[in-house]
Amino acid sequence: MQGSAVFVFLLFLASLPLPAQVPFPLGPALETACFGGIFAPGADSAAGSGSAWQPDWPADIPPDAFSVKGEAALIRLSGTSARLNGQGPEAASPGPFEYRLSRDSRGRLVEFPLSLGGDLFQIRADYAPSGGLAGLVFGGTGEGEGGVEQTPWIAEFPLPYSPFESPAPQFPGEAVRVSRGEAVYFVLFEEGGKYLSESWYDGEGNLAGYFVSLFEEREGRRRILSVLNSDNAKRYYFDNQGHVSAIRGPWGNFSAVYGARGQVLEWEFAPAGPDAEPAPPGRFALQWDERFLLVSLRGLSPSPSRSSAGIPDESPVEYRYEYALDRRGNWLSRRETAYVSRGGLLIPVGVKQIDRHILYREEERF
């Protein structure tokens, strides 16, 4: 099922009355767990670069959140989101958050954040002794409404599976069971040289959803280019260093420009609004010091008027950062101060802190 054949089949699926809305595609999570995704080791990782980052992530995850000098078995990021006035990158639901990136003794990803279906998930990967995936747990990154922890989605693999490296689950007895509470789906896969398709069925055997993930091979490993279904497509774009330079899809358009050492220099985001229409884009310039620490994020977009945007007061125009470092020069806490412009002066209006715990490989205890 290559190229035009995939497109024709998606047109056919678009004409079918699918009985349920499935939560998200599994393809990007499989790619990340089995091939490393954006967390695959890169030549510039020791420089504190932003390669392990995607431009559609929230501002709570700075571009260098998962880049450290040395080998880390665990990086844990935690803090509290605080909504500030205006349309800055802080416009997210307030509340505590935690993101984790961890690897086992064989260097395989065990925990990682990933954006799927318009939401950011904290994912845990469980591996079978043979090496294939035995399960994936898709948890929330913070508390849900009312401070209640969100119930995770759980994908269970009857047979260990690694895309393109082991037989794909194609028959009912091999179907991957995806569940959360009373919601249960069964997923079958089909593979081609550059694609992975997944058919989702409900508990009564009705087709509930269908996705096709398209891949390319670059420098000996596969990376995902797009995820298609009968309604829309999410596409990934890369620069010549392999960094994610743009993500475009039904949840908005996001892009970034990188420097020679992989640091993010410009970030633009336009998340989709309530009617799935892109919001006015926000553009920011990022400044780094000689240690490759992010020191400021400055707005480049003109602020919309209060009458057109419904903004009650001034919006922050710049964010500045201060750090506490460990002995290796990796930051352990980041203090952020937001500034507004008044009478030609920058006035601080809000402060928050993000903490980072790093467990280095040689410090592991089992």
Side-chain angles (χ1 to χ4, degrees):
M1 190 189 298
Q2 298 286 343
S4 60
V6 173
F7 178 72
V8 170
F9 190 60
L10 287 173
L11 287 178
F12 168 71
L13 283 173
S15 66
L16 297 178
L18 298 183
Q21 180 65 44
V22 299
F24 45 73
L26 293 177
L30 293 172
E31 182 240 5
T32 304
C34 297
F35 309 133
I38 60 169
F39 302 109
D44 59 0
S45 60
S49 71
S51 56
W53 177 81
Q54 291 194 340
D56 64 341
W57 280 2
D60 291 329
I61 308 181
D64 59 351
F66 300 113
S67 297
V68 299
K69 301 176 179 70
E71 293 188 36
L74 168 68
I75 302 172
R76 184 176 68 242
L77 203 71
S78 62
T80 302
S81 295
R83 177 175 293 162
L84 299 173
N85 292 335
Q87 291 186 335
E90 304 293 336
S93 297
F97 63 84
E98 180 175 297
Y99 308 99
R100 298 167 63 93
L101 178 70
S102 67
R103 300 178 185 273
D104 63 15
S105 59
R106 296 169 60 177
R108 299 175 300 187
L109 286 169
V110 176
E111 298 173 292
F112 54 90
L114 195 64
S115 179
L116 294 169
D119 292 317
L120 189 71
F121 291 91
Q122 179 66 49
I123 299 176
R124 188 184 78 236
D126 297 320
Y127 299 90
S130 61
L133 277 173
L136 291 168
V137 178
F138 300 81
T141 55
E143 295 179 352
E145 294 185 8
V148 178
E149 188 71 21
Q150 301 173 4
T151 302
W153 285 94
I154 300 175
E156 302 169 275
F157 295 76
L159 299 176
Y161 180 45
S162 182
F164 308 108
E165 296 176 4
S166 60
Q170 291 182 299
F171 303 103
E174 304 168 347
V176 178
R177 186 179 188 272
V178 182
S179 63
R180 184 175 70 173
E182 297 182 356
V184 179
Y185 298 97
F186 297 91
V187 186
L188 297 177
F189 292 87
E190 182 181 344
E191 296 177 2
K194 294 184 178 180
Y195 79 89
L196 175 69
S197 69
E198 47 189 278
S199 300
W200 288 62
Y201 299 89
D202 63 20
E204 298 179 353
N206 300 308
L207 182 65
Y210 183 84
F211 299 96
V212 177
S213 297
L214 302 180
F215 292 81
E216 73 171 1
E217 190 164 324
R218 182 180 185 270
E219 298 181 353
R221 73 176 186 88
R222 288 184 174 87
R223 70 181 184 187
I224 199 163
L225 293 178
S226 58
V227 181
L228 317 174
N229 69 9
S230 58
D231 298 320
N232 52 58
K234 180 177 182 179
R235 304 185 187 277
Y236 300 83
Y237 300 85
F238 302 85
D239 66 11
N240 57 12
Q241 298 180 78
H243 305 130
V244 180
S245 59
I247 298 175
R248 309 194 187 283
W251 298 282
N253 298 318
F254 310 85
S255 63
V257 176
Y258 299 83
R261 301 291 296 272
Q263 72 275 30
V264 179
L265 300 179
E266 289 190 17
W267 174 37
E268 181 171 329
F269 66 97
D275 298 323
E277 292 294 329
R283 293 182 59 236
F284 290 86
L286 291 80
Q287 181 180 355
W288 305 74
D289 67 13
E290 68 281 356
R291 300 168 296 175
F292 286 93
L293 293 172
L294 178 63
V295 294
S296 73
L297 183 148
R298 178 171 49 87
L300 299 177
S301 300
S303 299
S305 67
R306 296 188 181 101
S307 60
S308 62
I311 299 173
D313 277 311
E314 304 117 315
S315 300
V317 297
E318 187 168 341
Y319 303 84
R320 296 179 183 176
Y321 308 102
E322 299 174 279
Y323 297 89
L325 309 179
D326 68 9
R327 56 185 176 82
R328 298 171 183 254
N330 294 315
W331 64 271
L332 297 179
S333 68
R334 185 185 85 157
R335 179 182 172 89
E336 173 187 285
T337 303
Y339 292 83
V340 298
S341 179
R342 293 177 186 168
L345 299 176
L346 291 178
I347 308 299
V349 294
V351 175
K352 75 171 188 176
Q353 180 169 307
I354 295 178
D355 295 310
R356 189 166 72 156
H357 170 73
I358 305 170
L359 176 63
Y360 295 100
R361 179 69 60 188
E362 63 270 23
E363 297 173 350
E364 284 183 296
R365 296 290 184 269
F366 297 100

